Amino acid sequence: MTIDTSGSNGHISEHIYGHFAEHLGRGIYDGFWKKDANGDYIIRDDVVATLKELGVPNLRWPGGCFADYYFWEHGIGPKDQRPTVVNNLWGGVTEDNSVGTHEFMDLVAELETEPIVVGNVGSGSVEDMANWWQYINHPGESPMAKLRRENGRDEPWKVRFWGVGNESWGCGGHMRPEYYADLYRRFATFLHAYGDVKPFRIATGPAGGDYNWTEVVMERAGRMIDGIDLHHYTLDGSWSTHKGQAVNFDEGGWYRLMGRAMEMDELITNHKAIMDAHDPEKRVWLIVGEWGTWHEQEEGSIPGFLYQQNTLRDALSASVTLDIFHQHLDRVKMANIAQTVNVLQAMILTDGERMLRTPTFHTFDLYKPHREATALPYELDRGEYKYDGEEGEPLPAISATASINDAGRIHLSLTNIDPNEARTVEVQFADGKKLKVKEARILTADAMNARNTFDAPDALVPSAFKGAKFAKGKLVVKLPAKSLVTIGLE
Ligand code: AHR
């Protein structure tokens, strides 16, 4: 590997490390919030403290699919007067609207994060969405600011990131891109700048490789779009039959999932090319607003709640994906892994009062030094990994991110996806810079499905890494099989 320590592959926006909190399963209720002795929902301090360790740059809410079913008026005012609705999408459970705009903004304040609010295009009206925007953001005298004040909040929350619908090609209304592009223009028109808040308007983007969606939406509405929201999940199986097991997988499952995670590179490359044709100045962000692994939900968990365990395989599929985002920084400025607590590829799982950090939490932790740093260009002989029991191409075995921060410290993250073979990477620094290893941590385990459980919440955590040493001017990194390391150099 050769790293150009004075070059730049772009700025790694912290917003690439964003999160997602939908009214789904035990994400909001019995996730971020728990019931107190009086039966009222309160924010969980342990969850907030743990997420603050990591730093949450942004949080997307209230969906997901739920966003296009959500009427924000149901979630304001006295709690005992809020209507209950049925969450038909996710488990058919009753949603009592205990958590609405004010409660979500309280969470945002506690997490010191930036909200992304997704408005309802699928079943709501333009007036509804414009009113919600005004309720949240209007600083002066207006009907919605008055209502907000009556509900106890004087100052506007100043939310700039605003989704105009979610997955409008699917759960958000099954629209054609032509129809959505027109609707987008209409809804986006009525999101006015208030005070010093100018809306950053995010359009529903494509599902995976639906390039026609990007083409049509960019062509017809691109001038009014600030960000377009690609969604792509990583499955070991298929949507229609079996998505694949979270824990009980073999090497075939490991190999397939890693290959699927790597498809992100091709998707971003192709969507970027379409965007470049319509927006050569690269003004519009490509946002990967939902990404991560999606397995069959855990046996015995409530159907529709999307609760899944998280193993070393999830952790390394996340590092590989983050490496891909860092290769496309000219467009990829924001991303949201799905989701934060108890849903899909979560950071945290809870069980009553107990909670654990998942292996994916630790990937995000190991990648923290790259946030807001400059990505360094590199050349890398990635080697190959192939599982013989499956058809398909060999996969690149090594994946990497190198970055330099404002203080001049270089961080190198290397992932070896090969579950069987250790690999050695010899790193040269193009300008012959003299560096020393300042810190190094590794996430690895003997088993591909190593994980944390409520009885052993720290079974899989990063540890000090001793396998990175300088020899004859080169940094020699001995990467064990199935491992992720981050090395700090100065
Ligand atoms: O994250 C779960 C669901 O996946 C979201 O609600 C939806 O947008 C996507 O299909």
Side-chain angles (χ1 to χ4, degrees):
M1 178 178 205
T2 307
I3 300 177
D4 175 4
T5 51
S6 47
S8 168
N9 248 356
H11 173 74
I12 302 176
S13 165
E14 62 170 350
H15 285 298
I16 289 173
Y17 292 82
H19 294 276
F20 176 26
E22 180 167 9
H23 287 236
L24 192 179
R26 297 195 300 111
I28 296 287
Y29 305 107
D30 202 20
F32 277 109
W33 277 265
K34 66 176 181 185
K35 278 193 169 162
D36 68 9
N38 302 320
D40 296 326
Y41 281 105
I42 53 169
I43 293 173
R44 275 185 80 136
D45 292 341
D46 54 347
V47 167
V48 166
T50 305
L51 288 171
K52 282 180 82 169
E53 264 172 38
L54 204 57
V56 175
N58 65 61
L59 189 62
R60 183 172 181 259
W61 175 84
C65 292
F66 186 78
D68 283 291
Y69 287 70
Y70 184 60
F71 290 92
W72 67 274
E73 301 90 336
H74 293 167
I76 57 169
K79 290 208 178 155
D80 56 0
Q81 289 169 32
R82 295 185 189 179
T84 51
V85 296
V86 178
N87 189 336
N88 284 311
L89 290 159
W90 306 120
V93 292
T94 300
E95 159 72 58
D96 70 1
N97 284 297
S98 289
V99 172
T101 304
H102 293 250
E103 292 75 20
F104 174 67
M105 292 303 170
D106 288 345
L107 176 67
V108 162
E110 288 203 20
L111 286 171
E112 294 171 9
T113 187
E114 183 155 9
I116 304 169
V117 173
V118 183
N120 178 349
V121 170
S123 65
S125 66
V126 177
E127 186 187 9
D128 256 349
M129 190 190 284
N131 280 347
W132 197 14
W133 169 262
Q134 189 186 95
Y135 186 90
I136 288 177
N137 283 324
H138 197 272
E141 293 303 317
S142 74
M144 292 302 119
K146 181 167 176 280
L147 184 58
R148 184 186 70 230
R149 291 191 184 106
E150 283 165 12
N151 288 325
R153 170 82 189 190
D154 184 19
E155 292 298 313
W157 285 286
K158 297 193 175 189
V159 173
R160 62 176 168 144
F161 293 127
W162 198 271
V164 181
N166 169 76
E167 296 195 353
S168 307
W169 38 261
C171 60
H174 290 104
M175 301 174 202
R176 296 174 307 122
E178 292 81 1
Y179 181 68
Y180 173 73
D182 283 348
L183 271 192
Y184 174 88
R185 290 164 56 143
R186 189 163 160 240
F187 276 75
T189 298
F190 297 91
L191 300 173
H192 299 290
Y194 288 139
D196 55 1
V197 181
K198 188 171 170 284
F200 185 98
R201 295 171 300 193
I202 301 170
T204 284
D210 183 354
Y211 300 115
N212 183 51
W213 182 276
T214 304
E215 172 63 37
V216 173
V217 172
M218 282 299 294
E219 207 250 318
R220 295 185 178 213
R223 271 170 298 133
M224 294 178 72
I225 294 173
D226 299 305
I228 185 161
D229 184 12
L230 162 69
H231 289 186
H232 179 62
Y233 284 97
T234 301
L235 279 70
D236 150 15
S238 88
W239 288 109
S240 50
T241 50
H242 192 275
K243 296 184 190 71
Q245 294 291 351
V247 172
N248 298 318
F249 56 87
D250 57 12
E251 192 179 336
W254 175 280
Y255 165 78
R256 283 190 303 272
L257 192 100
M258 292 299 167
R260 298 291 289 276
M262 288 176 185
E263 287 170 10
M264 185 67 88
D265 188 42
E266 182 185 330
L267 294 175
I268 294 178
T269 302
N270 293 340
H271 287 296
K272 268 183 20 174
I274 297 167
M275 293 175 75
D276 286 351
H278 295 284
D279 172 37
E281 296 80 31
K282 297 185 188 282
R283 182 187 59 77
V284 181
W285 295 7
L286 179 59
I287 296 170
V288 188
E290 290 185 29
W291 68 275
T293 53
W294 192 320
H295 308 299
E296 288 295 320
Q297 67 175 65
E298 188 156 296
E299 236 178 278
S301 63
I302 300 174
F305 273 28
L306 310 186
Y307 177 85
Q308 64 190 39
Q309 248 295 7
N310 193 300
T311 69
L312 181 63
R313 182 177 65 157
D314 297 277
L316 300 198
S317 74
S319 58
V320 163
T321 305
L322 291 168
D323 291 338
I324 293 169
F325 294 159
H326 298 163
Q327 293 296 314
H328 294 283
L329 296 168
D330 55 336
R331 281 278 178 201
V332 178
K333 314 270 185 194
M334 180 182 266
N336 304 83
I337 189 167
Q339 298 191 8
T340 320
V341 188
N342 292 331
V343 177
L344 297 174
Q345 193 172 357
M347 301 290 123
I348 289 177
L349 301 177
T350 68
D351 174 32
E353 286 298 315
R354 303 192 292 177
M355 59 148 274
L356 61 81
R357 293 165 182 78
T358 64
T360 303
F361 175 100
H362 295 302
T363 296
F364 270 59
D365 189 36
L366 286 169
Y367 269 63
K368 213 172 152 181
H370 298 304
R371 298 185 193 187
E372 294 294 307
T374 299
L376 295 173
Y378 63 76
E379 281 172 20
L380 171 63
D381 175 359
R382 296 175 185 274
E384 287 186 345
Y385 158 61
K386 173 76 178 62
Y387 169 62
D388 290 337
E390 285 286 323
E391 289 192 357
E393 296 296 313
L395 302 174
I398 308 291
S399 169
T401 289
S403 70
I404 185 163
N405 67 16
D406 285 348
R409 183 171 279 203
I410 292 171
H411 289 95
L412 172 62
S413 294
L414 291 165
T415 302
N416 175 15
I417 65 158
D418 189 329
N420 307 309
E421 302 288 333
R423 308 265 168 159
T424 299
V425 180
E426 291 187 358
V427 188
Q428 306 193 61
F429 299 90
D431 50 6
K433 206 168 182 156
K434 293 264 173 298
L435 294 164
K436 282 200 174 111
V437 174
K438 289 286 175 188
E439 57 185 336
R441 289 193 301 154
I442 183 165
L443 188 71
T444 190
D446 291 340
M448 291 183 289
N449 66 355
R451 60 197 175 277
N452 295 326
T453 62
F454 294 105
D455 291 331
D458 294 326
L460 180 56
V461 293
S463 56
F465 178 57
K466 303 267 185 269
K469 293 210 167 63
F470 276 94
K472 296 187 190 147
K474 287 183 190 166
L475 176 67
V476 180
V477 186
K478 296 198 160 136
L479 287 172
K482 46 179 154 24
S483 67
L484 157 64
V485 304
T486 294
I487 303 161
L489 301 153
E490 235 169 45

